[in-house]
Amino acid sequence: MGTALVTGASAGLGLEFAWQLATAKHDLVLVARDEERLTRLASQLEAAAGIRAEVLVADLSDRVDVERVAIRLRDDERPVGLLVNNAGLGLNQTFVGGDVSREEAALDVMVRAVLVLSHAAAEAMTARGRGAILNVASVAALLASGTYSAHKAWVRSFTEGLAVELKDTGVTATALCPGFVHTEFHERGDIDVSSYPAIAWLNAESVVATALADVRRGVVISTPSARYRTISALARIAPRSAVRAVGRYRKAIEHQDR
């Protein structure tokens, strides 16, 4: 069934991607910083699904590590048929007054690494005439929620442009744009989400299943759930002043919660 490489595979959506791909009999290359969690996950996947799971420990804020992952994607003797650029992080800080080194690390992980790894994968895949790239963006790409929105807006726009360039090559590019998903993401980022209503949350299993189904169909923008498709449509047509007002309201709520 081919090999898939998943970044941020040790937790959150990346972990769910790993399990669903293994269940579908894909061999895996698991990429994350935590070697212990990756090794344990690889053993579990191999035992449960009968696939091969390779561990590739890498910090995607480190350019040397990113290049090691890119080299793996270029390996024609062990071809990767699906790249899932999933790694990400929440900063939980304002830009003004925040730690700029953390901002740079987030930019490296969620923008630069996506660019470099997509480039490596696209070149290898187009040479073979088949493959798929799935970049995890967010509904936040359409909003005004600090640098996280900016990163995800770049991922969405980049993926759309890549999809245009890849037309008729046998290779596809898809941007996954979920809303809030029940994972470790917010807890690991120390982000308080207690004020967010239950209806805002999606299940990781259904988000990943939708994303993989859309990849198989060659969908460029994958937005799981009807409610987030509606929110996305409204955000696209609303005046940007209204979008910014929502961002200011969220900031006020977050400040109040602290």
Side-chain angles (χ1 to χ4, degrees):
M1 299 290 284
T3 298
L5 186 149
V6 182
T7 70
S10 62
L13 284 178
L15 180 62
E16 184 62 31
F17 272 114
W19 275 105
Q20 291 198 27
L21 288 165
T23 302
K25 298 303 180 183
H26 289 273
D27 290 335
L28 291 166
V29 182
L30 306 171
V31 180
R33 294 178 297 174
D34 192 326
E35 183 172 10
E36 182 180 349
R37 289 185 74 164
L38 280 185
T39 301
R40 182 168 62 248
L41 174 61
S43 297
Q44 292 170 342
L45 293 170
E46 289 179 339
I51 54 92
R52 295 180 60 186
E54 175 185 343
V55 168
L56 180 49
V57 179
D59 179 349
L60 298 185
S61 67
D62 184 306
R63 294 194 174 203
V64 173
D65 281 9
V66 172
E67 182 56 25
R68 289 196 297 109
V69 181
I71 289 170
R72 178 62 185 86
L73 288 165
R74 298 187 195 105
D75 189 343
D76 284 334
E77 294 184 0
R78 298 177 298 161
V80 171
L82 170 64
L83 166 63
V84 181
N85 273 315
N86 163 78
L89 64 149
L91 291 177
N92 192 27
Q93 67 174 23
T94 57
F95 181 72
V96 179
D99 183 343
V100 74
S101 66
R102 294 183 66 213
E103 294 285 357
E104 290 176 315
L107 186 70
D108 283 338
V109 172
M110 291 187 281
V111 175
R112 185 182 182 277
V114 172
L115 182 150
V116 172
L117 300 184
S118 294
H119 186 269
E123 288 202 333
M125 291 173 183
T126 53
R128 294 192 297 269
R130 62 186 183 281
I133 297 168
L134 173 59
N135 294 329
V136 178
S138 172
V139 167
L142 302 171
L143 305 178
S145 300
T147 52
Y148 185 80
S149 279
H151 300 152
K152 295 305 184 180
W154 184 91
V155 172
R156 179 184 171 113
S157 180
F158 166 74
T159 306
E160 287 190 283
L162 181 59
V164 172
E165 186 171 339
L166 292 173
K167 185 175 174 58
D168 299 325
T169 66
V171 182
T172 62
T174 299
L176 171 61
C177 298
F180 295 112
V181 185
H182 283 298
T183 67
E184 300 174 38
F185 178 86
H186 298 92
E187 181 181 349
R188 287 162 72 97
D190 195 27
I191 300 170
D192 182 8
V193 293
S194 59
S195 62
Y196 296 172
I199 195 172
W201 294 93
L202 302 176
N203 177 276
E205 183 177 351
S206 62
V207 168
V208 169
T210 298
L212 293 177
D214 284 344
V215 168
R216 288 191 292 271
R217 295 190 296 119
V219 172
V220 177
I221 301 295
S222 174
T223 306
S225 94
R227 58 185 177 275
Y228 277 111
R229 286 192 290 274
T230 300
I231 290 170
S232 296
L234 290 173
R236 285 195 299 271
I237 64 175
R240 294 307 294 177
S241 58
V243 173
R244 292 192 294 273
V246 171
R248 287 194 295 272
Y249 173 77
R250 285 187 58 195
K251 290 292 182 186
I253 293 295
E254 289 166 4
H255 180 76
Q256 186 179 48
D257 288 342
R258 293 193 186 98

